[in-house]
Amino acid sequence: MENQTVITEFILLGLSRDPHLQVIFFFLFLVIFLVTLLGNSAIMLVTRTVTSLQNPMFFFLSHLAFVDICYSSVTVPRMLENIIGKQKTISLEGCIAQIFFIFQVSCAEVFILAAMAYDRYAAICDPLHYTTIMKKEICRYLVSGAWAMGFLCSLVNALPLLNLHFCKNNIMDNYSCELPSVLALSCTQTLTNYIVLLITALVFGFSPFLLTLISYVHIISTILKIRSAEGRRKAFSTCSSHLIVVGLFYIAAFIRYVKPNSKSLIYLDKVVSIQYSIITPMLNPIIYSLKNKDIKNALAKKFGKFLK
């Protein structure tokens, strides 16, 4: 170790080395980033200012929109800078910071999604006690707990990286710093880091997923017991958009962090990372706008006056 150069920065190869493709990628992801900011900001605006949307479901939705803005902001601006810049590097400290915030917002998101599933469970399975179960104070505690869990998850995964040494390869075939990619470049033993990652994936990833799954088992069971077809359709429409969002996020994150880290699958890693960290934050407000009539009507009333 003493005779080897200590690496203090990484080279991010990005998505492609072709200059023409880089121009296309720059404008494509710039548009996606702007749509993400505008779409989620619009969701936050209407859910906090429209009187008819002042209920727990839309309270959680506004926080989900804020998380999506944070998620996209952690990776996309840096990626755009690397695409057009000559220096395609990121410092070791910057890389660890990016990993920290990726874990922070992704963990907060899964717990907020679990809280939204519990909210739908209370609304559909126990409607008579819904207002008692989902009080404002309880909703605030759930959101605060989601951010606290995110902070704890990011802390236990990012802090151990400070003890690693990087001395051989500093080339990362990705557009952002992700924990599996960084661990693969370490010169020191990383078994502890992988164990911590596995434990946090089970505690902070699987447990909210299990809560979401249990909630929807009860929700679907209750919906199927409704005699009227119209009643079943209305009940299912209130949670269909949430189910789509949960599916998009969990499937992509599961593929990225559970599958083996292999050079032969590097393009799959990039596609999956783009899907859950860039595409999904953009799609979430679109999905809720198309699938939820209340959101659609609130957006039309709020922004329709500007289009006249």
Side-chain angles (χ1 to χ4, degrees), residues 27-293:
F27 286 104
L28 174 63
F29 288 109
L30 177 61
V31 170
I32 289 174
F33 183 59
L34 293 176
V35 171
T36 301
L37 294 181
L38 292 173
N40 285 290
S41 297
I43 293 290
M44 290 176 63
L45 179 64
V46 297
T47 52
R48 296 187 180 190
T49 58
V50 177
T51 308
S52 61
L53 302 183
Q54 301 303 303
N55 61 53
M57 180 174 71
F58 298 112
F59 172 79
F60 291 125
L61 180 56
S62 69
H63 284 275
L64 179 65
F66 177 69
V67 168
D68 285 333
I69 289 174
C70 295
Y71 208 159
S72 188
S73 300
V74 170
T75 55
V76 180
R78 184 76 198 197
M79 181 180 73
L80 295 175
E81 181 185 347
N82 282 349
I83 289 175
I84 62 172
K86 293 181 180 180
Q87 293 285 337
K88 301 183 185 298
T89 60
I90 183 171
S91 66
L92 175 59
E93 294 79 10
C95 194
I96 293 174
Q98 193 173 61
I99 290 171
F100 178 91
F101 288 113
I102 286 173
F103 272 97
Q104 167 75 70
V105 294
S106 59
C107 187
E109 177 153 354
V110 296
F111 277 97
I112 289 175
L113 289 172
M116 294 175 77
Y118 179 70
D119 171 69
R120 291 299 84 207
Y121 161 78
I124 294 173
C125 301
D126 196 5
L128 296 178
H129 298 95
Y130 177 71
T131 53
T132 305
I133 296 171
M134 301 305 296
K135 291 180 179 178
K136 286 184 178 180
E137 294 77 11
I138 293 175
C139 294
R140 293 193 185 102
Y141 287 144
L142 289 172
V143 170
S144 300
W147 284 104
M149 290 296 103
F151 179 77
L152 182 61
C153 177
S154 58
L155 202 64
V156 298
N157 279 283
L159 276 183
L161 295 177
L162 297 173
N163 297 322
L164 298 183
H165 295 279
F166 302 89
C167 56
K168 294 179 181 178
N169 184 14
N170 71 331
I171 299 175
M172 200 179 301
D173 195 3
N174 210 332
Y175 64 90
S176 67
C177 288
E178 291 195 339
L179 187 55
S181 302
V182 173
L183 293 179
L185 299 178
S186 175
C187 295
T188 48
Q189 201 269 344
T190 57
L191 178 61
T192 303
N193 299 82
Y194 280 110
I195 292 173
V196 170
L197 177 60
L198 178 61
I199 292 172
T200 53
L202 291 174
V203 174
F204 298 102
F206 183 73
S207 46
F209 172 75
L210 187 62
L211 290 172
T212 303
L213 183 63
I214 292 171
S215 296
Y216 272 103
V217 168
H218 288 286
I219 288 169
I220 293 171
S221 175
T222 302
I223 290 175
L224 293 176
K225 293 176 183 177
I226 299 175
R227 293 182 180 181
S228 114
E230 181 65 18
R232 288 194 299 269
R233 187 192 64 78
K234 286 183 178 180
F236 187 74
S237 68
T238 63
C239 54
S240 59
S241 51
H242 182 251
L243 269 174
I244 296 170
V245 170
V246 168
L248 284 173
F249 184 86
Y250 271 108
I251 291 172
F254 180 83
I255 293 172
R256 178 66 184 98
Y257 283 92
V258 175
K259 76 168 189 58
N261 197 37
S262 172
K263 289 184 178 180
S264 62
L265 299 175
I266 191 66
Y267 291 107
L268 176 62
D269 290 342
K270 291 181 182 181
V271 171
V272 172
S273 295
I274 288 171
Q275 195 271 307
Y276 74 79
S277 64
I278 300 176
I279 304 297
T280 298
M282 178 193 69
L283 290 178
N284 285 354
I286 297 174
I287 292 169
Y288 276 101
S289 299
L290 293 176
K291 300 289 290 182
N292 191 293
K293 288 184 178 180

